[in-house]
Amino acid sequence: MTGIRLTAPAPGWAIDADVVVVGSGVAGLTTALRCAAAGLDTVVVTKARLDDGSTRWAQGGIAAALGEGDTPEQHLDDTLVAGAGLCDEGAVRTLVTEGPDAVRRLITTGATFDTTDSGDIALTREGGHHRRRIAHAGGDATGAEISRALVEAVREAALHTIENALVLDLLTDAEGRTAGVSLHVMGEGQHDGVGAVRAPSVVLATGGMGQVFSATTNPSVSTGDGVALALRAGAEVSDLEFVQFHPTVLFLGADSEGQQPLVSEAVRGEGAHLVDATGTRFMLGQHELAELAPRDIVAKAITRQMHEHGTEHMYLDARHFGAQMWEQRFPTILAACRAHSIDPVTEPIPVAPAAHYASGGIRTDLRGRTTVPGLYACGEVACTGVHGANRLASNSLLEGLVFAERIAADIAGTRPPRTEPAEAASEGGDAPVPLLAPETRTAIQRIMTRGAGVLRSAASLAAAAEELEALHRSAAADVDAADPKDAVPGVDAWEVTNLLLVSRVLVAAAREREETRGCHWREDRPDRDDAHWRRHLVVRIAPDRTPVVHRTETAAFPPVRAAD
Ligand code: SIN
């Protein structure tokens, strides 16, 4: 391990813009396109290539009340039930009422969804939905189609994009307002090395943090960069303890680490059954929706079965679909299974839960504003309040779309003037930040999987906290020996540093929440405790870089206001 001071080296180049959007999934690219359409000079920066984020991997689809007889009110009800008492009803109402038109505008932007014989959008079901409400594309390649359409639209609109660019710091002006980002661009291109995009509005749309755990459906770029950056800039994050574990991830062996293939809930939506090794369906009688119960309930049921049977996985049986339906409706999943020598047409698929989605994130209001003036967050990196303790399936692409449009409207409406950056924003100023060796990534993932995975306890969380603090301390001890001023860390080192910070905050929140609710499952506190815990945990980083956890008074968030 080595140390480095947080403040990035002085930028070697700088460009000016009205808005800089960090991230290139559905949330980032929609924000950028809408900002540009409103006449704002917009720059998109992304850590890898434009289409390398999580959006591309989304299978099931995008939920919206588009079908005959469906209404935003019914979508709202299902979202609130899945969220286990912690959704912000106003945020959910915004999502479900603005959602259908946002999907129609996505279609106008160029995305093509699957249709029925009569030409209507084909809709499927997923966990927690009482109706067919999920629009899909290419069968089970919805995210890939949305990503293709948005990347193409960004190229057509000739937006300024900077790929392979890791954002190091948020820049602020003399009044403490956001003034852009410093970034490190790797590889050939117009810009190279450390530079800055100076802009009075910064939108973080960096996606999730699934790489905190050993096995996840998230791609390797999902390292919690946006949450870590926002924390370092003094922003509040909330609900980080609610990590959603997807119930049906293709089981490739207990030692399989990194990104794992997803088997979409839509497979259950079309009638697949969860069974044990004897072929018995175990979701019957557990919930009125059986295999289509909300995701947390199904993930828990599978985990319990695994413990009872002493096995490492259960099975998803969809042999009755037949070859033709598998090939037409689920070509991506079929190919992934066959690539691992499993044929879902003739055998049940081995599945187990794996980390999938961060229901919490950087706290925002309904215009996407964070507690740092000029800083917005959108998509998985944000906590708008729509997901509560457990996101309803396929609400995430919708959230990205709806809140991207709201953020663009807010920036276009306020048009803050450009100002000169004064410094990199960093709680603790020049205080050294431990920068970890890339090899530490696996150690963090194993600590988190053991201590803060699908099933947690006070003891497992305490052990995880201790191990994470030891990593933090030992890196911090090396800091003073480092020459801080011009060291430019590589992407791997920054990613691992970000993973450690978000892991520490996640564990701090999970220790505090002494109950079981939604996707936070405490073995030692097995019941939901509304009397004490119908409230959120909001976390900030103190100047000495320890997480400070604050409980809200009620399930409603206090208004977002600039951090003091
Ligand atoms: C899936 O297709 O099962 C994933 C959908 C989601 O995470 O919302």
Side-chain angles (χ1 to χ4, degrees):
M1 272 173 276
T2 58
I4 190 170
R5 286 177 203 284
L6 178 64
T7 307
W13 52 267
I15 54 177
D16 293 300
D18 296 317
V19 189
V20 54
V21 177
V22 186
S24 57
V26 63
L29 295 188
T30 305
T31 309
L33 285 165
R34 302 293 180 257
C35 284
L40 295 160
D41 186 2
T42 305
V43 175
V44 180
V45 304
T46 189
K47 191 164 71 170
R49 289 175 322 179
L50 275 189
D51 63 353
D52 265 347
S54 289
T55 294
R56 167 158 87 88
W57 297 95
Q59 292 181 348
I62 183 162
L66 294 161
E68 183 83 31
D70 197 5
T71 58
E73 205 60 29
Q74 294 174 64
H75 188 182
L76 176 121
D77 287 345
D78 286 344
T79 303
L80 295 181
V81 169
L86 278 190
C87 294
D88 177 319
E89 191 167 332
V92 180
R93 199 168 286 287
T94 300
L95 178 82
V96 298
T97 51
E98 297 182 11
D101 279 344
V103 174
R104 289 183 195 106
R105 282 190 288 274
L106 177 64
I107 293 170
T108 310
T109 305
T112 306
F113 287 92
D114 297 336
T115 51
T116 61
D117 291 343
S118 51
D120 297 324
I121 295 177
L123 300 170
T124 190
R125 279 183 70 190
E126 288 185 9
H129 292 272
H130 281 81
R131 311 185 59 97
R132 287 188 167 262
R133 182 180 289 140
I134 322 292
H136 47 88
D140 56 2
T142 313
E145 169 57 12
I146 291 175
S147 182
R148 180 207 61 75
L150 290 173
V151 169
E152 221 166 277
V154 162
R155 296 216 162 106
E156 262 166 37
L159 286 195
H160 189 159
T161 59
I162 307 178
E163 295 178 299
N164 301 311
L166 181 74
V167 170
L168 305 175
D169 263 327
L170 194 67
L171 306 172
T172 52
D173 67 14
E175 269 76 55
R177 190 195 152 83
T178 303
V181 293
S182 65
L183 64 168
H184 184 196
V185 182
M186 285 132 302
E188 307 289 301
Q190 230 181 326
H191 309 290
D192 211 354
V194 174
V197 180
R198 298 185 297 218
S201 300
V202 174
V203 183
L204 295 178
T206 50
M209 55 176 75
Q211 289 289 326
V212 155
F213 296 95
S214 299
T216 173
T217 59
N218 292 189
S220 63
V221 291
S222 299
T223 51
D225 302 333
V227 167
L229 176 76
L231 280 164
R232 290 196 294 261
E236 288 180 355
V237 303
S238 188
D239 296 3
L240 232 55
E241 67 274 32
F242 297 116
V243 177
Q244 188 165 67
F245 287 78
H246 196 289
T248 55
V249 177
L250 181 60
F251 179 75
L252 300 178
D255 297 335
S256 184
E257 294 185 329
Q259 187 178 10
Q260 313 288 308
L262 178 67
V263 183
S264 174
E265 291 210 355
V267 179
R268 278 176 276 139
E270 297 296 346
H273 298 150
L274 280 165
V275 296
D276 63 20
T278 68
T280 307
R281 284 177 72 183
F282 54 83
M283 286 307 298
L284 293 175
Q286 296 221 20
H287 191 277
E288 44 137 1
L289 293 171
E291 277 89 352
L292 287 179
R295 193 169 282 178
D296 57 323
I297 291 169
V298 181
K300 282 174 193 160
I302 292 177
T303 307
R304 279 195 198 100
Q305 289 287 322
M306 283 162 42
H307 289 178
E308 273 168 32
H309 292 258
T311 55
E312 287 163 336
H313 61 82
M314 287 286 123
Y315 293 95
L316 188 66
D317 193 351
R319 289 174 291 178
H320 54 286
F321 286 3
Q324 197 185 358
M325 175 159 165
W326 265 109
E327 279 155 19
Q328 286 172 0
R329 184 64 184 82
F330 298 112
T332 313
I333 299 167
L334 182 66
C337 288
R338 285 185 170 162
H340 292 95
S341 306
I342 296 152
D343 189 351
V345 179
T346 58
E347 60 190 318
I349 307 167
V351 289
H356 182 60
Y357 191 87
S359 298
I362 308 165
R363 197 160 85 77
T364 73
D365 66 11
L366 297 190
R367 292 177 289 181
R369 295 174 172 195
T370 72
T371 49
V372 174
L375 180 68
Y376 295 79
C378 191
E380 188 172 352
V381 73
C383 181
T384 58
V386 299
H387 304 313
N390 176 50
R391 174 179 64 92
L392 182 67
S394 285
N395 267 355
S396 48
L397 292 172
L398 190 70
E399 185 196 30
L401 267 187
V402 166
F403 286 89
E405 295 191 342
R406 296 190 134 244
I407 288 170
D410 193 62
I411 299 171
T414 50
R415 289 184 187 262
R418 297 181 184 183
T419 54
E420 201 54 37
E423 59 181 34
S426 145
E427 291 283 288
D430 263 353
V433 161
L435 188 78
L436 299 173
E439 308 81 76
T440 320
R441 185 176 181 127
T442 310
I444 295 170
Q445 291 168 334
R446 290 183 184 164
I447 293 168
M448 290 299 286
T449 302
R450 263 196 318 270
V454 64
L455 183 56
R456 307 158 172 182
S457 68
S460 77
L461 289 164
E466 199 172 309
E467 290 182 84
L468 293 172
E469 289 315 310
L471 282 180
H472 174 70
R473 275 194 309 273
S474 85
D478 288 341
V479 159
D480 290 337
D483 176 3
K485 279 300 167 214
D486 39 40
V488 182
V491 173
D492 289 0
W494 271 105
E495 285 185 339
V496 178
T497 302
N498 291 340
L499 282 176
L500 180 61
L501 179 57
V502 295
S503 298
R504 290 170 64 226
V505 172
L506 193 162
V507 167
R511 288 183 82 180
E512 186 92 2
R513 182 172 288 282
E514 295 187 323
E515 64 157 356
T516 287
R517 178 186 298 272
C519 46
H520 173 65
W521 186 13
R522 288 271 303 247
E523 200 172 15
D524 54 327
R525 303 275 176 169
D527 299 318
R528 172 168 153 174
D529 176 1
D530 275 347
H532 296 99
W533 284 108
R534 196 134 184 257
R535 60 188 71 214
H536 300 271
L537 293 172
V538 174
V539 188
R540 284 176 66 175
I541 290 293
D544 68 354
R545 302 204 188 286
T546 51
V548 179
V549 185
H550 162 77
R551 300 179 197 189
T552 60
E553 289 300 314
T554 64
F557 277 127
V560 166
R561 61 184 179 84
D564 35 39

